[in-house]
Amino acid sequence: MKFIYYISYLYKGVLRKISHKITDWSCKNDVVFDKGTRFTMTAKVENISKNIKNITIGKNTIIEGKLMVFNYGGKISIGKNVYVGVGTNIRSGELITIWDNVLISHNVNIIDTDSHEIDHFERIQNYNKTLIEGSAKVKGNVKTGKIKIENYVWISFGVTILKNITIGEGAIIAANSVVTKDVPAFSLVAGSPAKVIKSLLK
């Protein structure tokens, strides 16, 4: 029985490594990446634009979440030594820039676009059009706004970051916060909407 268990354990380990290699290879086909960039088994890339230059990743960065660039526009630029956790979604219709040494926990949403129009008739009309023709190539009245996350930021689990946001260097975003406005450098913010709790400067 021990022998069978050992063989089963080895078999599963080999399958896991093969699956990891396939995911890593598949994701790297859709991005521009540097030395040491890794995509784990849970990672996914949806570069709907089909332009690999729209997603760039620096060296020694680990991606376990999902990166998505819309067909009507959008770019994701991730620096070096960045971690993107499991279940995290980074979706761009304009520009999301993540600098170096940033830690992004699991189940975080970073989205620089409303994804749909405000007007109810226009929204459903374009949604139905997407079902027939595929992802929209023109942004139209969908509102977008750049997101910038500076060096050494830590974003805890369950955080949502909306469009038109800059998160300053060294800031910490507490778990389950909803960021709707700029975050000062070296500050701790929490809540929905997120508010400054304290300064991290000594």
Side-chain angles (χ1 to χ4, degrees):
M1 288 297 290
K2 285 184 178 179
F3 177 74
I4 294 172
Y5 174 79
Y6 180 70
I7 293 298
S8 175
Y9 179 79
L10 284 178
Y11 177 71
K12 288 178 182 177
V14 169
L15 284 181
R16 195 178 297 112
K17 283 189 175 182
I18 291 171
S19 179
H20 171 77
K21 291 289 185 183
I22 291 171
T23 303
D24 190 57
W25 173 81
S26 175
C27 289
K28 284 178 177 176
N29 282 332
D30 290 323
V31 305
V32 175
F33 61 93
D34 208 335
K35 184 179 179 181
T37 299
R38 287 194 290 131
F39 292 87
T40 69
M41 289 186 297
T42 58
K44 187 173 183 181
V45 174
E46 284 190 49
N47 191 343
I48 303 173
S49 71
K50 305 300 181 187
N51 183 349
I52 65 169
K53 292 181 180 179
N54 286 341
I55 303 177
T56 60
I57 303 172
K59 65 181 180 180
N60 300 324
T61 285
I62 298 173
I63 307 293
E64 296 199 287
K66 178 178 177 180
L67 309 179
M68 178 179 177
V69 168
F70 286 90
N71 207 11
Y72 57 75
K75 291 184 178 181
I76 297 171
S77 174
I78 300 175
K80 64 184 180 181
N81 304 319
V82 173
Y83 173 78
V84 177
V86 175
T88 286
N89 280 287
I90 301 176
R91 300 184 176 209
S92 179
E94 187 162 327
L95 176 62
I96 296 173
T97 306
I98 299 169
W99 292 9
D100 301 335
N101 304 300
V102 173
L103 300 179
I104 303 172
S105 188
H106 56 280
N107 298 324
V108 171
N109 288 298
I110 303 172
I111 306 175
D112 69 1
T113 173
D114 287 347
S115 299
H116 298 286
E117 298 82 1
I118 298 297
D119 181 79
H120 65 287
F121 181 75
E122 185 181 11
R123 181 168 61 243
I124 197 62
Q125 188 178 46
N126 284 331
Y127 169 73
N128 289 331
K129 187 177 179 181
T130 298
L131 293 178
I132 297 168
E133 300 178 5
S135 181
K137 295 181 179 179
V138 180
K139 183 167 71 171
N141 291 320
V142 175
K143 293 183 179 180
T144 63
K146 296 176 183 178
I147 294 173
K148 180 170 67 174
I149 300 170
E150 297 182 354
N151 296 330
Y152 300 103
V153 169
W154 172 25
I155 300 169
S156 190
F157 63 87
V159 169
T160 296
I161 298 172
L162 302 178
K163 64 184 188 296
N164 295 317
I165 297 293
T166 294
I167 299 178
E169 182 175 357
I172 298 175
I173 315 299
N176 295 313
S177 297
V178 178
V179 182
T180 60
K181 61 182 181 180
D182 291 351
V183 175
F186 299 103
S187 64
L188 169 64
V189 302
S192 178
K195 295 180 181 179
V196 175
I197 303 301
K198 67 176 182 178
S199 171
L200 299 173
L201 293 172
K202 295 180 180 179

